[in-house]
Amino acid sequence: MDTEIVKIEVNNDVVNASALGEKDAAIFSEEEKACIAHAGEIIRNGGLVAFPTETVYGLGGDALNPESSKKIYAAKGRPSDNPLIVHIADFNDIYKITAGIPETAVKLANAFWPGPLTMILPKSDVVPKETTGGLDTVAVRFPSDLVAQEFIRAAGGYVAAPSANISGRPSPTEAKYVIQDMDGRIDMIIDGGENEIGLESTIVDLTINPPQVLRPGFITNEMLSDVLNEKVETDRAIIEADSGIAPRAPGMKYRHYAPKGTLTIIEGEREAVVAEINRRLEADKADGFKTGVIASDETIEEYAADVCKSSGKAGDQFAAAHRLYSILRSFDDENAEKIYSESFALDGFGAAIMNRLLKAAGHQIVRL
Ligand code: TXA
Ligand code: MG
């Protein structure tokens, strides 16, 4: 199939101006509006369109059409027991797809929507089981990205979208990665530039008491706890890799985000980590392997790897999250076989970074 690729850029000057109360200019040109309307029509006709969000690129289809959901699974090569997130662009649209909204959902929506938070809620009959992977619950997210919002509205209000990668690869954070994975498999790709956050949304399950985080993200447990006035825990299965417990978000059980080479995390004092990684690099090179390192701005000069990438200034969690998936993909592009990463602190957004990095490493971590 021919995949149409279009570029749509939000006019940020206008966004800022309208935040200041000036409303007359347009965020999209007439041509861009027509493009988004066309993308919406593709979805309403049962097709698939990849689109930008503030977290990662999504692979969208009509959430209320079972055939669209089946097509999404096929395009991604994803097991169909792994449910999709339904994206909306107006809070009131949540009532049609859910069966009863707890007070907690309203509080969290007021605090964090539109934004990088997904809520698990009981589903209504209009949501087909194909979209929810057979579950009686539905994941709902209202993204803040303005291209995403305009597109969701044009598509009829309910867009099912997993990350727009081939199953098992890192989520795409730039259109070029979507093109790598999805060109020829879907009808259209909307290129909205680099995603702002670069890691997938926080998923919180509100069907149980107390609420539980099933996938950590930019919205942290502390931020959720503050709004709800109760302690929000993380699903134990995703913290304890070897617990043998099944994660409550089916997707979290799959080996994900993994580069083709082996990835090992080395944790400890900075100097000891640099020394240990260099020792391993030397051995790997002697064995003829191509090597890679995820360093920081402070340490990047110290490694003798074939492919060395900085996750940003040490301690800059936003930079590290933003770069992680493109760094993992670059190791594949350059055929790195033995890859090492420095470790990240677990506080705040760090829990999400380490969750993804540990998954990419198949939980191989060496603590010095
Ligand atoms: O940031 C994001 O959430 C991105 C963008 C595109 O919005 N989407 C995304 O979707 O990451 P996906 O399909 O790659 O990951 C969705 C995760 C999976 O782990 C899935 O198992 C879980 O959400 N999930 C979806 N519906 C669920 C449900 N009803 N109960 C439990 N987990 C659910
Ligand atoms: Mg995904």
Side-chain angles (χ1 to χ4, degrees):
M1 141 186 342
D2 272 349
T3 303
E4 205 178 324
I5 300 170
V6 297
K7 201 171 192 124
I8 298 192
E9 276 164 27
V10 171
N11 184 341
N12 278 310
D13 290 346
V14 175
V15 175
N16 295 335
S18 67
L20 296 170
E22 303 162 26
K23 289 209 184 73
D24 22 6
I27 289 170
F28 302 111
S29 67
E30 286 308 314
E31 202 186 336
E32 287 174 330
K33 276 193 203 153
C35 242
I36 297 177
H38 170 56
E41 201 180 300
I42 292 175
I43 298 290
R44 283 185 278 111
N45 290 330
L48 303 184
V49 176
F51 63 102
T53 81
E54 70 277 22
T55 56
V56 300
Y57 274 84
L59 170 52
D62 180 353
L64 308 186
N65 179 350
E67 296 310 315
S68 298
S69 294
K70 285 187 197 159
K71 278 193 195 171
I72 292 176
Y73 290 114
K76 266 184 80 80
R78 173 172 178 155
S80 57
D81 70 337
N82 190 359
L84 308 173
I85 295 175
V86 180
H87 295 67
I88 58 175
D90 176 348
F91 176 78
N92 287 317
D93 287 345
I94 199 173
Y95 294 104
K96 180 171 156 184
I97 53 171
T98 53
I101 294 287
E103 188 58 27
T104 46
V106 177
K107 282 187 189 165
L108 292 179
N110 280 331
F112 303 114
W113 275 4
L117 179 70
T118 296
M119 301 192 223
I120 307 292
L121 295 161
K123 84 171 193 73
S124 75
D125 291 341
V126 302
V127 186
K129 292 257 178 172
E130 283 79 1
T131 299
T132 63
L135 298 176
D136 293 325
T137 54
V138 59
V140 191
R141 170 159 127 75
F142 180 172
S144 61
D145 185 281
L146 295 175
V147 177
Q149 290 182 9
E150 186 83 10
F151 163 66
I152 293 163
R153 280 190 285 265
Y158 300 96
V159 174
S163 48
N165 51 285
I166 297 278
S167 199
R169 300 207 69 199
S171 298
T173 53
E174 293 180 45
K176 65 178 181 192
Y177 301 131
V178 181
I179 295 168
Q180 271 178 12
D181 283 14
M182 290 297 156
D183 196 12
R185 293 174 169 250
I186 61 177
D187 299 286
M188 185 173 176
I189 296 170
I190 303 177
D191 176 352
E194 264 183 61
N195 304 132
E196 194 183 341
I197 295 177
L199 285 191
E200 306 86 345
S201 61
T202 304
I203 301 180
V204 63
D205 188 347
L206 299 178
T207 66
I208 51 168
N209 244 321
Q212 213 178 64
V213 168
L214 308 188
R215 179 175 73 183
F218 181 75
I219 308 292
T220 62
N221 291 39
E222 296 74 41
M223 290 158 80
L224 297 169
S225 300
D226 279 353
V227 170
L228 295 179
N229 257 320
E230 62 179 316
K231 199 158 168 49
V232 173
E233 304 279 355
T234 299
D235 182 5
R236 269 187 56 213
I238 68 167
I239 303 175
E240 299 161 34
D242 303 323
S243 62
I245 318 167
R248 306 194 60 241
M252 299 299 279
K253 72 173 178 269
Y254 296 104
R255 187 174 133 96
H256 236 195
Y257 322 117
K260 290 179 198 137
T262 61
L263 171 63
T264 308
I265 305 166
I266 311 288
E267 191 170 271
E269 294 293 327
R270 185 196 290 179
E271 277 178 25
V273 168
V274 171
E276 176 64 18
I277 291 180
N278 275 326
R279 194 185 65 73
R280 288 171 180 247
L281 291 173
E282 215 171 294
D284 292 335
K285 280 185 170 175
D287 290 340
F289 290 114
K290 188 155 187 197
T291 56
V293 169
I294 304 180
S296 58
D297 287 354
E298 288 79 356
T299 56
I300 187 158
E301 300 297 336
E302 298 183 49
Y303 294 111
D306 298 310
V307 188
C308 206
K309 301 281 175 188
S310 172
S311 61
K313 263 181 66 184
D316 184 345
Q317 295 181 326
F318 202 79
H322 187 77
R323 294 182 191 182
L324 181 63
Y325 288 150
S326 66
I327 292 177
L328 291 176
R329 278 182 181 256
S330 71
F331 291 132
D332 283 354
D333 293 343
E334 303 191 48
N335 298 312
E337 298 168 282
K338 297 282 181 181
I339 307 159
Y340 301 95
S341 178
E342 297 177 356
S343 194
F344 296 89
L346 278 170
D347 62 306
F349 197 11
I353 299 168
M354 278 305 281
N355 168 255
R356 308 307 195 275
L357 188 64
L358 279 162
K359 282 189 83 174
H363 287 269
Q364 276 199 87
I365 179 165
V366 174
R367 297 191 167 91
L368 301 176

